[in-house]
Amino acid sequence: MGAITIKDIAKMCGVGVSTVSRAMNNHPDINPETKQMIMEAIARRGYIPNNSARNLKRSESDTIAVLVKGIDNPFFQGMFKVFEQQVQKTKYSFIIHRVEEREDEIAVAQALELEKRLKGIIFLGGCFGDAGERMRRMDIPFVLCTVGVPDGVDKSIYSAISVDDCKESYRLVRYLCSLGHRRIAIICGKDDDESIGKLRYEGYVQALEEQGIEVLPELVRYMKPELPEYSPENGYAVAKEMLEEGLDFTALYVVSDNTAFGACKAILEAGKRIPEDYSVAAFDGMKMSRYYHPSLTTMSQPCEEMAAESIRLLIDLIEGRKKNQQKIFPAKLVEGESVRRL
């Protein structure tokens, strides 16, 4: 059987050749579901575009890709410069590739690896809760950075740089409890989130149960599926809904700083005060949280150190100096002005 062509991929997916081309070139004018179907077909059949095949004959690539899901999230912005600085110290080059919210990041990675002949990949953000078998099919080294992976996934098949999202979330909620808060509401990730959102929710539950506080379903809210995840818009919409319902809570824990900014706006627009009426705490430690008014109490991740370690680990994996491993960084509780003692 001859090499797979772009026409073969188009026929398999029931679309035109131009649609396949737009999917491969990350063109915005394509339905996300169609794009994901095409990228999965490309990865499954091992299709290499003609220009990439020609490049492959000339030489091997020394390129590392950073695949970013949630590229608009300011939390990631400071990490890009660190990636670039670390890669410049090596023989490798790197590219940043955006993964749309509804795309499967592993399917995108597999197609990109074939097209660009990548040496390694860093996944920045994304959801890998049920991705064990798909991760096994990755043909090149990769590192998950700031991605929460449940304990049930075989640790031998991936490398990861992260904080312990469950443990650090537990610490933050325990801190709120120590200040006298018992009715603590939470804005989690989306309700199908099997990654960071779920792990941070589990930490919330553990902290409340340890204190003998009932986990009330009405105080557990999920981000809106129709809005970008971990965005201020989502936090604003969810918090506004909670306030309009007249929910009784004294503290609000939002699992992302960026989402918390929107939640705070909804509280202030409702004529309420932070922290006098509602305490607000979040997670990530974005620089903006220091300058927000009131400054945000947050569990801060050492994002620049994590970015640098991700590059070092990936290169060690590429060059065979290390096997897959997971490195956990400690987070730091930063006490801002958004939380008060009852």
Side-chain angles (χ1 to χ4, degrees):
M1 183 177 178
I4 296 293
T5 68
I6 192 171
K7 290 182 179 179
D8 295 326
I9 297 296
K11 186 176 180 180
M12 288 169 55
C13 297
V15 299
V17 169
S18 62
T19 303
V20 177
S21 178
R22 290 201 301 274
M24 291 190 301
N25 288 293
N26 209 27
H27 197 282
D29 185 25
I30 183 173
N31 181 279
E33 287 83 2
T34 301
K35 181 178 179 182
Q36 179 167 331
M37 174 183 66
I38 292 169
M39 299 305 281
E40 288 176 348
I42 288 171
R44 189 167 61 249
R45 298 305 298 272
Y47 167 62
I48 303 176
N50 287 339
N51 62 333
S52 296
R54 287 195 295 270
N55 290 339
L56 180 59
K57 292 177 182 177
R58 293 191 193 112
S59 64
E60 276 292 313
S61 165
D62 280 325
T63 304
I64 292 169
V66 178
L67 269 63
V68 190
K69 199 163 196 176
I71 199 167
D72 297 327
N73 190 336
F75 174 68
F76 292 143
Q77 302 306 310
M79 304 179 81
F80 297 147
K81 183 177 181 180
V82 177
F83 286 136
E84 183 176 19
Q85 290 172 338
Q86 290 297 119
V87 172
Q88 284 176 347
K89 300 175 184 178
T90 73
K91 66 178 182 180
Y92 300 96
S93 59
F94 95 114
I95 58 173
I96 294 175
H97 186 89
R98 177 178 186 148
V99 180
E100 300 297 337
E101 188 160 332
R102 288 187 286 179
E103 284 186 309
D104 182 303
E105 42 273 275
I106 295 180
V108 172
Q110 290 171 325
L112 193 67
E113 186 269 324
L114 290 169
E115 181 183 354
K116 304 292 187 183
R117 305 308 300 174
L118 299 174
K119 278 291 177 63
I121 291 175
I122 290 176
F123 290 97
L124 187 59
C127 182
F128 291 80
D130 60 351
E133 289 307 311
R134 290 181 293 128
M135 285 194 284
R136 287 184 192 277
R137 295 198 292 270
M138 290 289 293
D139 293 327
I140 58 174
F142 64 94
V143 175
L144 310 179
C145 182
T146 70
V147 175
V149 181
D151 289 338
V153 179
D154 182 357
K155 295 185 183 300
S156 70
I157 65 175
Y158 71 93
S159 286
I161 302 295
S162 67
V163 298
D164 187 328
D165 289 282
C166 181
K167 174 185 173 182
E168 303 297 3
S169 182
Y170 162 87
R171 286 179 56 210
L172 180 57
V173 177
R174 177 73 183 271
Y175 167 74
L176 294 175
C177 293
S178 74
L179 296 179
H181 295 279
R182 297 185 64 83
R183 296 189 65 86
I184 303 171
I186 182 173
I187 298 179
C188 307
K190 294 183 178 179
D191 61 5
D192 60 351
D193 186 345
E194 292 292 325
S195 186
I196 283 175
K198 181 180 180 181
L199 293 170
R200 293 179 185 174
Y201 168 71
E202 289 174 351
Y204 162 85
V205 171
Q206 288 179 17
L208 292 187
E209 289 182 343
E210 184 182 272
Q211 296 297 307
I213 301 172
E214 182 181 1
V215 178
L216 300 173
E218 64 268 25
L219 297 184
V220 178
R221 298 301 174 106
Y222 296 93
M223 295 182 197
K224 303 288 185 182
E226 68 274 13
L227 296 175
E229 197 167 23
Y230 299 108
S231 67
E233 300 96 318
N234 222 318
Y236 176 83
V238 177
K240 184 176 181 180
E241 185 177 83
M242 295 168 68
L243 294 167
E244 289 174 347
E245 291 177 15
L247 283 182
D248 178 19
F249 61 96
T250 63
L252 175 62
Y253 167 34
V254 189
V255 299
S256 152
D257 284 359
N258 203 39
T259 312
F261 297 141
C264 288
K265 179 175 174 61
I267 291 171
L268 297 173
E269 274 191 2
K272 301 298 182 180
R273 300 166 299 167
I274 303 171
E276 291 84 358
D277 296 310
Y278 298 106
S279 290
V280 179
F283 199 116
D284 280 338
M286 289 169 48
K287 290 182 179 178
M288 192 186 307
S289 65
R290 306 175 202 164
Y291 304 103
Y292 194 82
H293 183 69
S295 58
L296 194 61
T297 292
T298 181
M299 189 59 76
S300 179
Q301 301 190 65
C303 60
E304 294 183 356
E305 292 90 337
M306 292 162 68
E309 184 61 25
S310 295
I311 293 292
R312 287 193 290 266
L313 176 55
L314 181 62
I315 292 174
D316 282 343
L317 291 168
I318 292 169
E319 298 181 354
R321 291 191 292 269
K322 289 184 179 178
K323 295 183 179 180
N324 280 327
Q325 59 184 263
Q326 297 76 43
K327 184 166 183 178
I328 304 297
F329 280 74
K332 179 182 179 182
L333 176 60
V334 178
E335 297 181 72
E337 299 166 339
S338 63
V339 171
R340 74 178 181 98
R341 180 182 295 275
L342 291 185

